[in-house]
Amino acid sequence: MEHYYTNNPTTKSCEQIISSKIFGENFKFYTDNGVFSKDGVDFGTKVLLENFSSQKEVANVADIGCGYGVISIVLAKQNPGYSFTMVDVNNRSLVLTKKNIELNRIENKVEIIESSSFDNVKGDFDIVLTNPPIRAGKKIVHQIMIDSFNHLSESGELWVVIQKKQGMASCKKLLEETFSSVEVITKNKGYYILKASKQLTTCYNYDKMINCK
């Protein structure tokens, strides 16, 4: 069975346009077979967007597992001082992302990268946001958390949406072992929004699972 985290989906393409009202504004998105939540913006993404808040007016943002681009596109409309690096392993999703940036007339600086986690991503970020690919497995999800730490600036912050029944507890534990502080921003119908703040120069080696300075 083919999943949304497949690099090059072979499922027959059947593009459609969906609509979603977020922050009182109507957004339209191209979606397709073989991508995550093709029939509508998923509830977890909406909860993350509705609860995201940062003091940073200018920021370099990474959207890991961007799908067809909802999180970055909505936040770009709200934050003209943000630049976005939109990352996904699914090339069909990235094609849709490019089309959705044009469809929603996004003027922010945007870079689109095909990558599993941060494998093909360079540089540091002020903010990382992720609705991680739970079905890809715990190892991948946890790698995104660790990679996020290592790609955040010293005062950077990671925002995660994750369901309680799909590994929230182990994810939160890993974040608490890695970041300076971890907050539960909200919980809604089993979805948790976690904010992890990086205030130290500690790095984290995922393969050896050890902290290093």
Side-chain angles (χ1 to χ4, degrees):
M1 179 179 177
E2 194 168 74
H3 296 282
Y4 61 81
Y5 51 85
T6 300
N7 188 235
N8 291 297
T10 57
T11 306
K12 185 178 179 180
S13 174
C14 184
E15 283 191 12
Q16 62 177 327
I17 294 180
I18 62 169
S19 298
S20 186
K21 192 169 187 177
I22 305 173
F23 297 136
E25 184 171 353
N26 290 315
F27 291 86
K28 292 184 180 295
F29 301 100
Y30 285 100
T31 74
D32 201 347
N33 293 330
V35 304
F36 175 67
S37 196
K38 71 181 181 70
D39 293 321
V41 176
D42 70 291
F43 183 76
T45 291
K46 287 185 176 180
V47 175
L48 176 58
L49 286 168
E50 290 167 358
N51 288 277
F52 173 78
S53 176
S54 176
Q55 298 297 315
K56 303 177 190 296
E57 295 183 0
V58 177
N60 191 14
V61 181
D63 180 358
I64 305 300
C66 67
Y68 47 86
V70 177
I71 291 174
S72 290
I73 287 169
V74 173
L75 291 182
K77 287 283 191 178
Q78 302 291 319
N79 301 277
Y82 284 11
S83 59
F84 293 87
T85 299
M86 303 168 75
V87 179
D88 205 285
V89 73
N90 185 324
N91 280 303
R92 185 175 291 180
S93 292
L94 297 180
V95 170
L96 294 170
T97 292
K98 184 176 181 180
K99 295 179 69 171
N100 288 329
I101 289 169
E102 296 171 355
L103 180 64
N104 291 280
R105 299 179 180 180
I106 299 304
E107 298 180 353
N108 305 58
K109 180 182 177 182
V110 174
E111 183 177 12
I112 299 171
I113 299 176
E114 180 273 310
S115 180
S116 176
S117 187
F118 284 83
D119 289 354
N120 299 327
V121 180
K122 297 180 180 178
D124 292 334
F125 299 88
D126 304 299
I127 299 169
V128 175
L129 300 114
T130 185
N131 185 349
I134 298 299
R135 296 189 183 277
K138 180 178 178 179
K139 183 177 180 180
I140 294 295
V141 173
H142 283 203
Q143 183 176 349
I144 290 172
M145 305 302 117
I146 299 304
D147 289 348
S148 295
F149 180 90
N150 288 329
H151 281 268
L152 278 169
S153 59
E154 188 171 343
S155 61
E157 50 195 54
L158 166 65
W159 290 74
V160 182
V161 56
I162 190 167
Q163 286 194 69
K164 182 178 181 180
K165 66 181 181 181
Q166 292 185 329
M168 186 283 299
S170 64
C171 179
K172 182 171 179 285
K173 182 175 184 292
L174 176 62
L175 293 176
E176 289 171 341
E177 292 171 348
T178 310
F179 285 78
S180 298
S181 68
V182 178
E183 305 171 61
V184 176
I185 300 299
T186 194
K187 41 190 174 180
N188 189 340
K189 297 181 180 179
Y191 286 85
Y192 281 64
I193 305 301
L194 306 177
K195 176 187 176 184
S197 300
K198 177 180 179 180
Q199 298 168 350
L200 303 177
T201 55
T202 307
C203 67
Y204 199 96
N205 186 314
Y206 178 76
D207 293 327
K208 295 183 179 180
M209 299 297 284
I210 58 171
N211 285 312
C212 56
K213 298 200 175 184

